[in-house]
Amino acid sequence: MKQIVRPYGDTLNDGKVQLSFALPVTSDAQGKEAARVLMLSMGFEEAEITCMRDLGEGFTHFIAYGVTTAHVDTSRIRVKVVETPVMDLETTDAYIEEHLGRKITVVGACIESDAHTVGIDAIMNMKGYNHRFGLERYHGFNAINMGAQVPSEELLARARAEHADVILVSQVVTQKNIHIQNLTRLIELAEAENLRDKMLFICGGPRLTHELALELGYDAGFGPGSYATDVASFIAITLAARQGK
Amino acid sequence: MLKLDLDTSLVTRSRAAAQKITSDFDQLFASYSSVTIERTVLRLMGVDGATADGKPLPNLIVEQLQSSGALNRGAAIWLANAMLHTSLSAQAVAEEVAAGELDLTSLPLAEAAKVYRVLSEISDQMLAHITKQRQQREQYFKQYGSRNQPAIYVIVATGNIYEDVTQARAAAHEGADIIAVIRSTAQSLLDYVPYGATTVGFGGTYATQENFRIMRQALDEVSQQLGRYIGLTNYASGLCMPEIAAMGAIERLDLMLNDAMYGILFRDINPKRTLLDQYFSRMINAYAGIEIQTGEDNYLTTSDAIDKAYTVTASQLLNESFALKSGLKPQKMGLGHAYEINPDIEDSFSYEVAHALLTRELFPEAPIKYMPPTKFASGNIFKTHLMDAMFNFAGQLTGQGVQLLGMMTEAIHTPHLVDRSLAIENAQYIFKAVKNFSASLMLSPDSFINRRANTVLKEATEFLERVAQEGLLSAMAAGEFAEIKRPENGGKGLDGVFERDSEYYNPFMDKMKKELGL
């Protein structure tokens, strides 16, 4: 059954949208009209510029409301998401003990030029993030966090040496889509080295989704708001299922 | 006025412990050098430029001396000796070396007095230039008035120095006092400094001398238009700390991120290498009148802001103690801390005010650098903007020196023009609204804030006393800092550290030490 929806302001399907953007125009009546016309050409039926701020250097900031007639049929939306259930630390440890009977080795890193360990640390370090302990805290995991700026080659070599079950990659810097390049490079190297099918490849970062991860050839991707519990549950359940085959 | 009732015996004990810890390194500073220190000497002697494939000339010379086993005397003597023999300038000698036409160690060493005379003249020239730059900065402040407090500090990070200039000029017009040009994310681990203007990089563009010059020139123009001196900062960190400090001194940067231990803990650079490099880099900054800033905020991006608050205080005290050894005055020590507290915690603001006041009062003369919320910034730009407002409130209320503005789009992208503008508007509104608020307030003696500040100070004191017994390097190897283990002989760059021989000479360090009273 079709489920047509539009943006909601204060009345169902009123189509109200809030925008904020800068234009390289002067902060005057001309500039304001330019912003309004731009919104009409974006397809908004109505456009109201509610704020105009001079940014200097010939730029102006606009805050605006538009009314859109565009709609979406939510019954037709299909998104790939990680479907394994999320378990807490104790349950995951018990699950690993029961289904695998051994520790799972995870080698993690922030690869290539990326120097920001905040993501990989949140998932792997003892401390974890926001009251969810990291993989180091689990009995069921042997967690090796290689830190930042690790070349893909080194990550793969370490994973091979440790007989890793899982490679976990974080990419925080996304300027000019560097994260896509880095993640692609790692997978290509893994394929060339015959490692791709020997372990799970998982990536995470602020601009990653499960869908994008699958597209790039990974087994799973974790975006903003993911915790160690999400990653640990996915790994445990997926490895158990694979072992069952 | 808001003032803590700090336990003064803890203040004395913590400083004594910090001093004991840093004094273990006096021998290292007196008898070792590193490849980047020698490259710095060459740069200060006037060597610049790079080969067609991008290899900087200072690196080529140091590598030549290293491979002939001659570097233990220091690069200065060999370069001066070659200048005497060839009657060429330092740069021309370097170009001969780069062309493969000259081996510096193949020339017989001239009489020591002659070599020293060349070095004395050439170092006097450069030190006079650096002094002139320092006086120029002082002149600007005299002319335009001193910096706002808290100063508004924003970053530009387009990855292209020319685009950065546009954004920096716009930010200055809106009220920024200090512009930081973010470096490309991988630069800290390069054992050389790239050459020339750059328009590439990830999360920023390279720290190069030409980029420094381009941005300083643009900001000088804006400063004149606005009648307000706009400070410029970059990062003397990573494997080239002193070289970047020297470039900043030459081009009149005003501040430098320059932490004593950051490279060890957060970039896995060898401890000895970092400690040596920070020693000389900070001396250059001290000589050039450059305000250093330290990176304590990093402790809280990896650890909890309440549990690990004491690690910030301990690091500040160590940074202060190391900085004093390099001749930095407290007025130039931008010790760092950060508003990284979990916003879901009840009374999170009281914790932050306690921590901020502790920093402020432990280092009353220092232009304390306060970093914004990043760890709990999400894609919810509205919430982040609100957290930034609370951060700005804490900054003005507790009298911080430099407020590194938070961006509502933290955790999404490097700041857009609009993000930066809204951040400045946020800070200006709040700074003005609570400008003199603190003057009307007092803390009750047994208030939570007083107790909390003393608890953190006590934990920091006990931690430092433990480290003083154990030694800093052992404590780092055991993972006592930032929950990261850094063994003494691990990390990057140890092969670039060497013991000086008895004939070693570094004319710049020698003269700077004299002038700084070290």
Side-chain angles (χ1 to χ4, degrees):
Chain A
M1 203 179 93
K2 274 193 175 187
Q3 295 233 329
I4 303 291
V5 298
R6 290 199 174 90
Y8 180 94
D10 64 355
T11 307
L12 192 63
N13 289 341
D14 59 15
K16 292 275 188 175
V17 176
Q18 190 179 43
L19 284 97
S20 166
F21 57 92
L23 285 176
V25 298
T26 47
S27 191
D28 53 21
Q30 290 269 332
K32 194 170 182 177
E33 181 60 9
R36 199 185 69 84
V37 171
L38 175 71
M39 284 187 59
L40 296 179
S41 79
M42 287 175 183
F44 289 105
E45 193 166 62
E46 286 171 38
E48 186 189 358
I49 307 295
T50 58
C51 176
M52 173 169 74
R53 300 170 61 244
D54 188 357
L55 296 172
E57 297 291 303
F59 292 93
T60 300
H61 176 205
F62 299 97
I63 299 174
Y65 284 82
V67 173
T68 179
T69 53
H71 62 264
V72 58
D73 179 359
T74 55
S75 70
R76 298 174 66 93
I77 299 295
R78 300 277 178 277
V79 183
K80 289 177 190 138
V81 291
V82 175
E83 279 167 352
T84 49
V86 179
M87 306 179 285
D88 64 16
L89 184 150
E90 291 77 14
T91 316
T92 302
D93 272 344
Y95 184 94
I96 293 170
E97 182 60 42
E98 186 190 332
H99 291 86
L100 293 161
R102 64 176 177 87
K103 277 185 183 250
I104 298 170
T105 297
V106 179
V107 179
C110 226
I111 57 167
E112 306 295 336
S113 56
D114 200 334
H116 298 73
T117 59
V118 50
I120 197 79
D121 288 348
I123 303 299
M124 293 197 79
N125 284 7
M126 190 72 82
K127 178 82 200 167
Y129 175 70
N130 207 6
H131 308 290
R132 272 81 157 188
F133 292 121
L135 299 184
E136 279 181 358
R137 188 83 174 213
Y138 289 67
H139 291 300
F141 285 99
N142 168 30
I144 301 163
N145 182 356
M146 294 178 69
Q149 295 184 333
V150 177
S152 296
E153 290 84 350
E154 273 180 37
L155 174 59
L156 294 173
R158 183 73 184 269
R160 189 191 289 275
E162 302 280 352
H163 303 289
D165 300 290
V166 183
I167 281 188
L168 197 58
V169 190
S170 166
Q171 288 285 276
V172 174
V173 174
T174 57
Q175 207 177 34
K176 296 172 194 164
N177 281 332
I178 182 73
H179 60 305
I180 309 275
Q181 291 173 41
N182 289 344
L183 290 170
T184 305
R185 177 158 193 275
L186 178 71
I187 280 291
E188 284 172 357
L189 282 169
E191 274 164 7
E193 292 185 24
N194 238 342
L195 279 177
R196 175 62 194 94
D197 298 326
K198 296 200 170 63
M199 41 193 87
L200 290 179
F201 279 71
I202 300 175
C203 55
R207 295 266 296 275
L208 280 163
T209 60
H210 185 55
E211 185 146 13
L212 174 61
L214 296 182
E215 229 173 80
L216 294 172
Y218 286 71
D219 294 294
F222 291 88
S226 306
Y227 295 106
T229 42
D230 299 295
V231 179
S233 307
F234 172 81
I235 292 171
I237 294 167
T238 310
L239 286 178
R242 287 200 177 179
Q243 185 177 267
K245 272 177 198 166
Chain B
M1 168 155 166
L2 285 189
K3 196 164 175 0
L4 292 170
D5 192 8
L6 281 183
D7 181 342
T8 52
S9 70
L10 288 175
V11 176
T12 314
R13 270 171 58 194
S14 63
R15 278 217 160 79
Q19 202 192 349
K20 181 162 184 291
I21 292 165
T22 60
S23 293
D24 282 351
F25 299 96
D26 291 346
Q27 190 57 31
L28 178 76
F29 299 155
S31 46
Y32 284 80
S33 183
S34 75
V35 286
T36 181
I37 291 176
E38 299 310 315
R39 297 194 301 252
T40 306
V41 169
L42 294 171
R43 287 180 185 278
L44 290 170
M45 288 174 75
V47 176
D48 196 9
T51 59
D53 59 350
K55 192 138 195 173
L57 300 193
N59 285 64
L60 286 173
I61 295 180
V62 165
E63 280 165 27
Q64 186 185 80
L65 294 173
Q66 210 171 14
S67 65
S68 337
L71 194 59
N72 304 55
R73 282 195 168 189
I77 286 176
W78 297 107
L79 183 63
N81 186 57
M83 290 166 71
L84 271 173
H85 273 273
T86 58
S87 304
L88 293 172
S89 67
Q91 178 65 19
V93 169
E95 281 165 10
E96 297 264 297
V97 172
E101 283 161 15
L102 180 61
D103 178 354
L104 296 182
T105 57
S106 70
L107 302 170
L109 271 177
E111 203 183 312
K114 282 188 184 166
V115 174
Y116 274 63
R117 199 176 310 128
V118 171
L119 285 174
S120 185
E121 276 170 25
I122 204 165
S123 54
D124 278 347
Q125 270 173 31
M126 180 51 87
L127 293 176
H129 170 75
I130 292 173
T131 302
K132 216 176 91 196
Q133 289 286 41
R134 190 187 69 218
Q135 289 164 343
Q136 174 76 63
R137 179 191 308 114
E138 287 162 2
Q139 174 57 34
Y140 273 125
F141 277 123
K142 203 178 277 174
Q143 189 180 343
Y144 297 139
S146 52
R147 199 169 74 190
N148 290 319
Q149 192 189 345
I152 291 181
Y153 173 127
V154 295
I155 66 167
V156 295
T158 67
N160 176 331
I161 190 63
Y162 299 106
E163 205 70 53
D164 280 346
V165 163
T166 305
Q167 302 228 353
R169 293 174 61 96
H173 277 285
E174 299 221 41
D177 299 301
I178 298 166
I179 303 291
V181 181
I182 300 296
R183 296 198 304 188
S184 182
T185 177
Q187 188 169 359
S188 54
L189 297 184
L190 300 180
D191 211 339
Y192 65 92
V193 181
Y195 177 74
T198 63
T199 55
V200 290
F202 296 104
T205 195
Y206 295 94
T208 72
Q209 194 170 333
E210 180 62 9
N211 286 349
F212 286 3
R213 194 193 61 76
I214 291 169
M215 187 58 87
R216 184 62 268 171
Q217 189 184 346
L219 294 182
D220 276 352
E221 285 166 19
V222 183
S223 299
Q224 280 154 21
Q225 285 167 20
L226 299 172
R228 190 174 85 248
Y229 185 65
I230 311 297
L232 173 60
T233 184
N234 210 288
Y235 299 75
S237 61
L239 283 166
C240 299
M241 294 174 95
E243 285 178 275
I244 293 172
M247 289 157 36
I250 295 170
E251 301 298 342
R252 188 167 28 87
L253 265 71
D254 306 284
L255 306 94
M256 275 286 182
L257 210 293
N258 196 212
D259 192 284
M261 301 186 297
Y262 169 83
I264 304 169
L265 298 172
F266 302 102
R267 290 291 178 266
D268 197 14
I269 295 173
N270 175 263
K272 279 192 215 162
R273 171 71 179 265
T274 294
L275 291 171
L276 262 179
D277 290 350
Q278 66 85 29
Y279 174 66
F280 189 41
S281 66
R282 286 172 161 198
M283 197 179 292
I284 295 167
N285 287 329
Y287 189 87
I290 291 174
E291 178 174 324
I292 65 157
Q293 298 193 309
T294 59
E296 279 80 6
D297 48 290
N298 292 283
Y299 291 89
L300 302 185
T301 52
T302 47
S303 302
D304 183 78
I306 295 177
D307 296 347
K308 297 291 173 182
Y310 74 90
T311 63
V312 169
T313 310
S315 171
Q316 290 166 339
L317 286 158
L318 289 174
N319 259 314
E320 174 193 52
S321 185
F322 275 124
L324 288 169
K325 287 187 185 298
S326 292
L328 273 157
K329 300 279 178 285
Q331 295 82 353
K332 294 290 182 185
M333 291 182 200
L335 300 164
H337 65 128
Y339 196 107
E340 288 286 20
I341 202 152
N342 184 343
D344 293 337
I345 287 172
E346 191 168 83
D347 287 322
S348 64
F349 189 73
S350 303
Y351 277 99
E352 275 302 327
V353 168
H355 299 167
L357 278 176
L358 174 61
T359 301
R360 177 71 268 158
E361 291 186 29
L362 265 185
F363 310 99
E365 293 170 285
I368 300 298
K369 180 196 73 162
Y370 202 13
M371 298 283 287
T374 61
K375 191 161 59 164
F376 293 94
S378 61
N380 181 350
I381 56 174
F382 303 103
K383 173 79 179 283
T384 307
H385 202 50
L386 196 51
M387 293 195 327
D388 289 338
M390 292 299 274
F391 159 69
N392 289 332
F393 183 19
Q396 177 67 279
L397 188 69
T398 59
Q400 305 299 309
V402 173
Q403 192 88 354
L404 200 153
L405 297 194
M407 297 288 145
M408 55 163 40
T409 50
E410 176 72 42
I412 304 176
H413 50 230
T414 50
H416 287 175
L417 193 65
V418 167
D419 305 337
R420 202 179 293 102
S421 164
L422 289 168
I424 293 172
E425 185 184 58
N426 177 333
Q428 285 180 327
Y429 159 53
I430 289 177
F431 288 173
K432 199 170 182 178
V434 298
K435 182 98 187 149
N436 299 300
F437 189 45
S438 165
S440 304
L441 303 178
M442 274 172 71
L443 292 170
S444 335
D446 193 37
S447 58
F448 172 80
I449 289 176
N450 257 318
R451 279 182 280 123
R452 175 65 195 160
N454 276 298
T455 302
V456 174
L457 180 57
K458 184 155 181 283
E459 288 172 357
T461 306
E462 285 164 0
F463 173 67
L464 286 171
E465 286 175 345
R466 208 164 62 238
V467 174
Q469 292 222 317
E470 200 180 335
L472 183 63
L473 294 179
S474 312
M476 283 184 176
E480 299 230 34
F481 286 87
E483 303 169 79
I484 303 167
K485 289 179 183 162
R486 297 300 188 208
E488 181 176 343
N489 291 318
K492 302 166 186 83
L494 179 60
D495 53 357
V497 174
F498 62 91
E499 194 170 4
R500 306 174 186 175
D501 75 15
S502 56
E503 312 278 309
Y504 177 89
Y505 188 54
N506 173 345
F508 297 96
M509 194 184 280
D510 206 49
K511 287 186 178 171
M512 285 178 184
K513 278 170 96 166
K514 269 190 203 112
E515 283 199 45
L516 293 166
L518 295 171

